[in-house]
Amino acid sequence: MNAPDAKTAPWTGVHVPRAHESAALHVLGQANYTDDVPELQGTLHAALGLSARAHARIRAIDLSAVRAAAGVVDVILASDIPGANDCGPIIHDDPILADGVVQYVGQPVFIVVAQSHAQARRAARLAQIDYEDLPAILTPQQAKAAQSYVLPPMHLARGDAQAAFEAAPRKLAGELYVGGQEQFYLEGQIAYAMPQEGQGMRVLSSTQHPSEMQHVVAHALAVPSHAVVVECRRMGGGFGGKESQSALWCAAAAIAGARLRRPVKLRADRDDDMLVTGKRHCFWYEYEIGFDDSGKILAAKVDMVSRAGFSADLSGPVATRAVCHYDNAYYLSDVDIRAACGKTNTQSNTAFRGFGGPQGAIAIEYAIDEIARTLGIDALDVRRRNFYGVERDNVTPYGQRIVDNVLHPLVAELEASSDYRARREAITRFNAASPVLKKGLALTPVKFGIAFNVTHLNQAGALVHVYLDGSVMVNHGGTEMGQGIHTKVAQVVAHELGLDLERVRIAATDTSKVANTSATAASTGADLNGKAAQDAARQIRQRLAAFAARQHGVDPDSVGFSANAVQVADKSIPFATLVHQAYLARVQLWSDGFYATPHLHWDPKTMSGHPFSYFAYGAAVAEVVVDTLTGEWKLLRADALYDAGRSLNPAIDIGQVEGAFIQGMGWLTTEELWWNAQGRLMTHAPSTYKIPGVSDCPADFRVRLFENANVEDSIHRSKAVGEPPLLLPFSVFFALRDAISSVGGHRVHPPLNAPATSEAILQAIEAVRPH
């Protein structure tokens, strides 16, 4: 870590709570999103015409009514795209517009361009399409039965799981289904394309990955990347849904804009957004576990199939992360993990906070819950018996040695602070005396790897400009979606230059400023871009220190920067004064910075390597009460302890933990995606798709950060906080299962899948209730 100079130890720009850099703008309604940017004269509006079939050939299409509709300027088909009809991020199997065959209900078939947003949407409904229906696959179970996959299946093995399973004194086997989840960002998908001179195109996009949007637009328009500039000031939420899936909207707007040589805005209605875009992958698991009488896992076998949708999108990396997180917090000596990405005639599923990690980890937690019930042992004790060790039993199934294991002290601290044992006894007494209301309690841990599994993506760049008045402008490759990356990067730069945070401003993310950026994803945003910005700011500081040292005849290492001033030769010079003097002396006052995460490697063929820079840890305790007559339930209390390393900004990090907990709880309880027999998503609006509300938050919600400096040289020894806390509400799901289990005296495993809706809870209660 870069400690402040001894003279300035009391002053710091990091490890302190600071308000989000746009907090005041949010409250005042002055924070500009893509749709808030004043429209240029002549702006047109686009809408997408969508497929009404899950899988069909298009025999004929009549667009005459669309073209004749009020305000319509143009209608664009796949044949009108000047370049590549593709927006797939890895495999080129994802057309911008369907061409001859549609593969899910909601797939875009054509673009309508009209004078207004409402006119475009109305006209898009008027197309007459003649379909020849083809067989459709809708579920991961059907995909497995048909051997229908978007990519070859994956397999990771260590030891001999089959032999260990057969020799184990105790065995269990079962199935589990965990549903997907809609990202439900508050700001929907949107792109605003503005033609520039010389075939240039500027696109304002709500995206987590401006560089990929640049590439997709350039390929679609058949122009070089330098002809396309993509900019994102901020998003109203992303959660992974704007990593690759914003490409369709960018490409469609740009294609229309280039064809008509006029600005075109494409803004998705919420229903269209949910019908068109992919979600978190649902997973179906078949598992076998061998264990001994103490609960120690001796063998683990799992076969998991995800609903990938009609194209590959990011399903391969999602499955890889699921495989690498099946172990969660536990050492598995003999393990066999198989994962497949089922090709289904549904939306092409994509990134979502956690990116497969939650889907991998929940499977082993489900098995541990059943081991505990089988043995009549508290599930916490079974979990603890299987934790990774520190000196031994500390290598993951994919071969990475764990060197920063804090599971044992972290869980012990939470167990004590949450009064887990006393509450367990109190709940047992309550349930014995309460025939209708039943309480449940669970403590679940998290170990989450931080880095992109694809090694080359772990890089970032930044630009830092110091102006003559001493103010600073920073541009970096990360995108702001409310998570606070701009605030943290500004803190890093302010700390490096010894300035108050108000002296540093972050510019919009722009492909013409920092090129070839990685997506703001995988919880790496602050790690990568913070390091790159620190590198740039440090170069400027070193130049200023060398200049000041020459002016005053001292060693550059003795020059300190803090509190908007520079300390040199027992003098304190205002930072702005030194900057102006340096400018007159022709000292460079801007710099670029770069960072590449060291020591990473991964072999996708052998499913082995060192894919993660470090691990983030956490644990949570949840207490619920369930009405056994209706299946309704309430979270009474939640205690969460999260390892954020030496937090750059504790206020932002605690907020991220709280938000992730509630979002993960929604995934596992209320947020049910449902397709009808014809493959149409029926839960495509807030009226039918239920995200948690304020009333679902526990009245007693205790979130703390665990004191633990990162062993790796991360930015100021902090740890990522974006995705790992989403696994903390596993505790809610297993507390519900605990409450349901009490109905049958903890003798029957509740057949509870996720999401654990009230209907699912009631069905599980009936399954365990003595008859």
PDB file of all heavy atoms in Angstrom, residues 114 204 435 666:
ATOM      1  N   ALA A 114     -38.968   6.751 -37.112  1.00  0.00           N
ATOM      2  CA  ALA A 114     -40.088   7.686 -37.255  1.00  0.00           C
ATOM      3  C   ALA A 114     -39.736   9.027 -36.630  1.00  0.00           C
ATOM      4  O   ALA A 114     -38.667   9.202 -36.021  1.00  0.00           O
ATOM      5  CB  ALA A 114     -41.344   7.101 -36.616  1.00  0.00           C
ATOM      6  N   LEU A 204     -23.909   7.939 -28.044  1.00  0.00           N
ATOM      7  CA  LEU A 204     -24.079   8.006 -26.600  1.00  0.00           C
ATOM      8  C   LEU A 204     -24.818   6.740 -26.190  1.00  0.00           C
ATOM      9  O   LEU A 204     -25.894   6.450 -26.721  1.00  0.00           O
ATOM     10  CB  LEU A 204     -24.867   9.246 -26.197  1.00  0.00           C
ATOM     11  CG  LEU A 204     -24.340  10.604 -26.675  1.00  0.00           C
ATOM     12  CD1 LEU A 204     -25.188  11.732 -26.102  1.00  0.00           C
ATOM     13  CD2 LEU A 204     -22.878  10.777 -26.300  1.00  0.00           C
ATOM     14  N   PRO A 435     -47.632 -23.488  16.158  1.00  0.00           N
ATOM     15  CA  PRO A 435     -48.051 -24.438  15.117  1.00  0.00           C
ATOM     16  C   PRO A 435     -48.151 -23.834  13.720  1.00  0.00           C
ATOM     17  O   PRO A 435     -48.053 -24.562  12.733  1.00  0.00           O
ATOM     18  CB  PRO A 435     -49.429 -24.895  15.615  1.00  0.00           C
ATOM     19  CG  PRO A 435     -49.930 -23.755  16.436  1.00  0.00           C
ATOM     20  CD  PRO A 435     -48.727 -23.157  17.095  1.00  0.00           C
ATOM     21  N   GLY A 666     -33.795 -11.080  -3.757  1.00  0.00           N
ATOM     22  CA  GLY A 666     -34.851 -11.079  -4.763  1.00  0.00           C
ATOM     23  C   GLY A 666     -34.701 -12.231  -5.733  1.00  0.00           C
ATOM     24  O   GLY A 666     -35.688 -12.899  -6.088  1.00  0.00           O
TER      25      GLY A 666
END
